[in-house]
Amino acid sequence: MKNVVVLGSTGSIGTQALEVLGAHSDKFRLLGISAGSNAEMLARQAKAFRPKYIALADPAGAEELKGLGAEILIGADAAPRLASMEDADLVVHGISGISGLVPLLSALESGKTVALANKEGIVCAHRLVQEAIERGGGKILPVDSEQSAIFQCLCMGNRADVKRLMLTASGGPFRETDKEALKRVTAAEALKHPVWNMGGKITIDSATLFNKGLEIMEASFLFGIPGEKIDVLIHPQSIVHSMVEFVDGSVAAQLSMPDMRLAIQYALTYPERRECRIDRLDLARVGALSFFEPDFERFPALSLAYAALKEGEVLPIAYNGANEAAVNLFMNEKIGFCDISSCVEYAMGHIDCKEPRSIEDVIGIDRESRRLANSFFRK
Ligand code: NDP
Ligand code: MG
């Protein structure tokens, strides 16, 4: 029996993780759950799963969690404390944004295996993540579907024989929208993803391709592959989750119907495989799979990501922080869709910070990037 903690249990990844754990209750026990502010849903989950610990970042919801027979952790350090609980074996990390960084480091420092969905933490602090792994002995198993696919494909050869990674992208709702029309799209339109049902921020990031930009960096840091060896391919059906080409020309791919529960489950059961309650892939029914080169002009998020990765220290944080700020502005109808990449480009061009050596440094650069993105909007 493995004891599992789910960080961000009230989100899209978190609720699907609980489903997977519920389907395999002979193998996993839900030890703890955590959320930002949604105390009501957290309390409902606690009633259904009876975890030993409940963690909530926002103290305002503390009352709602009383009388559930669990130990309650409240405040900014609730998730990091839960992530490092002595009796936890596995941590599913589905907190969104840079707030996921401290809990990630905390889990790795205390030797946990982390099923990692949050990408912002590793993009912003890959060195600190590596140091935490070396100090604490923890490890990361990717949940992000592209990284899970690459992780599986890499088993087919040696790392030294990898020619390139091919990250697939659905292309989002505006795959075929021309540049002029892109300027006028609304947040409501951007929130309608053609394939995946996800949290709000990552859905906007999928429409701008900032999600793919973050994944280029995530793949580079997770697998130690430089940006020059990472390509992006638009694949609207989202059946091929990513591919690895080896030096001999052989290409390995991982395919399935698009369903995050598979990637979550694989990270939990690795290296074993178990039955998973997802639709089975019927290729004859799917008929055709198509692939296109991405349009770097309409989607500047990609070139900006390669530039950020090349510098590799301050610019990934600026890329992520400015994007988070710009997505907020866009969702609040303060800026247009195409302004998101302009805000990020401005922040990356104007950030003036030293390489980060600590969490405080990372948070400082993140804050400055958000300030720059907001100041660009006010210009
Ligand atoms: P959601 O917005 O649906 O969920 C976010 C979760 O994080 C919620 O449980 C939220 O709690 C919690 N949270 C937010 N802030 C804090 C905080 N300060 N402390 C503790 N918990 C907090 O996001 P998703 O599930 O879509 O995404 C989560 C992460 O996984 C992101 O990094 C995303 O990029 C990544 N990912 C998601 C995929 C998906 O299919 N959804 C696919 C691949 C990666 P509350 O409900 O209280 O706000
Ligand atoms: Mg992904």
Side-chain angles (χ1 to χ4, degrees):
M1 201 62 136
K2 288 209 168 137
N3 284 325
V4 185
V5 155
V6 177
L7 306 178
S9 64
T10 52
S12 159
I13 289 290
T15 48
Q16 295 180 87
L18 295 196
E19 244 185 82
V20 170
L21 294 171
H24 298 282
S25 54
D26 58 318
K27 193 175 168 77
F28 302 109
R29 180 187 302 118
L30 184 64
L31 183 76
I33 49 180
S34 107
S37 58
N38 192 346
E40 195 190 323
M41 184 161 179
L42 202 60
R44 252 187 286 128
Q45 292 179 333
K47 277 183 199 141
F49 283 88
R50 300 266 155 224
K52 188 169 166 192
Y53 308 106
I54 315 176
L56 186 67
D58 180 1
E63 278 301 310
E64 198 135 2
L65 304 176
K66 288 196 175 142
L68 293 167
E71 188 177 320
I72 303 169
L73 313 168
I74 297 287
D77 67 342
R81 277 169 64 207
L82 181 61
S84 60
M85 280 295 171
E86 185 144 21
D87 38 357
D89 303 306
L90 278 165
V91 175
V92 177
H93 191 331
I95 294 178
S96 54
I98 187 88
S99 342
L101 175 59
V102 177
L104 171 62
L105 296 175
S106 165
L108 293 171
E109 298 254 4
S110 33
K112 310 297 180 202
T113 296
V114 182
L116 183 66
N118 174 281
K119 55 194 88 179
E120 296 88 345
I122 188 163
V123 164
C124 292
H126 64 104
R127 260 181 225 292
L128 299 181
V129 167
Q130 197 49 43
E131 284 164 19
I133 289 173
E134 279 158 22
R135 260 199 312 273
K139 69 172 178 196
I140 293 177
L141 293 171
V143 164
D144 203 352
S145 55
E146 295 76 3
Q147 319 298 351
S148 174
I150 290 168
F151 179 77
Q152 294 177 61
C153 293
L154 285 172
C155 297
M156 286 183 59
N158 293 325
R159 201 63 62 95
D161 299 331
V162 170
K163 176 89 173 160
R164 62 183 172 137
L165 308 183
M166 285 176 267
L167 285 174
T168 51
S170 74
F174 310 130
R175 182 167 52 86
E176 291 176 333
T177 310
D178 68 42
K179 210 169 170 190
E180 276 312 301
L182 268 186
K183 289 183 186 156
R184 295 187 299 274
V185 303
T186 64
E189 287 164 337
L191 282 168
K192 280 192 209 117
H193 195 278
V195 182
W196 303 97
N197 185 10
M198 309 175 287
K201 194 251 170 187
I202 184 176
T203 306
I204 302 289
D205 287 353
S206 299
T208 55
L209 295 199
F210 269 95
N211 182 50
K212 211 48 54 183
L214 290 169
E215 287 176 357
I216 292 169
M217 292 187 261
E218 184 188 21
S220 176
F221 297 143
L222 278 174
F223 306 114
I225 306 277
E228 306 85 76
K229 289 187 173 184
I230 306 178
D231 289 347
V232 172
L233 259 186
I234 304 297
H235 167 46
Q237 296 85 7
S238 298
I239 299 273
V240 175
H241 299 304
S242 279
M243 296 177 261
V244 175
E245 182 184 339
F246 293 96
V247 283
D248 59 359
S250 187
V251 175
Q254 187 255 339
L255 287 73
S256 76
M257 293 303 283
D259 192 319
M260 283 311 293
R261 288 173 300 179
L262 176 58
I264 295 168
Q265 176 171 311
Y266 184 69
L268 287 170
T269 62
Y270 174 82
E272 279 173 34
R273 291 189 185 263
R274 286 191 146 207
E275 282 286 322
C276 188
R277 291 178 194 165
I278 64 163
D279 291 342
R280 296 282 137 169
L281 178 59
D282 179 345
L283 279 174
R285 194 179 229 178
V286 173
L289 299 176
S290 42
F291 300 91
F292 313 94
E293 296 268 346
D295 184 339
F296 285 82
E297 209 201 315
R298 277 186 308 135
F299 297 101
L302 296 178
S303 308
L304 291 170
Y306 284 112
L309 179 56
K310 198 155 198 193
E311 187 267 352
E313 300 290 339
V314 174
L315 292 187
I317 310 174
Y319 182 94
N320 178 68
N323 178 52
E324 278 196 41
V327 168
N328 272 332
L329 292 170
F330 174 65
M331 298 243 248
N332 292 313
E333 295 174 10
K334 300 268 197 272
I335 61 172
F337 185 78
C338 297
D339 300 328
I340 299 177
S341 57
S342 307
C343 283
V344 174
E345 189 173 2
Y346 178 83
M348 281 173 62
H350 289 79
I351 190 100
D352 181 20
C353 295
K354 284 205 299 285
E355 287 184 6
R357 293 273 167 256
S358 63
I359 297 182
E360 291 70 31
D361 291 350
V362 172
I363 290 170
I365 300 170
D366 173 70
R367 197 175 301 132
E368 174 61 6
S369 316
R370 286 165 199 267
R371 191 191 66 75
L372 285 164
N374 280 300
S375 73
F376 177 76
F377 145 68
R378 285 197 200 91
K379 271 182 193 251

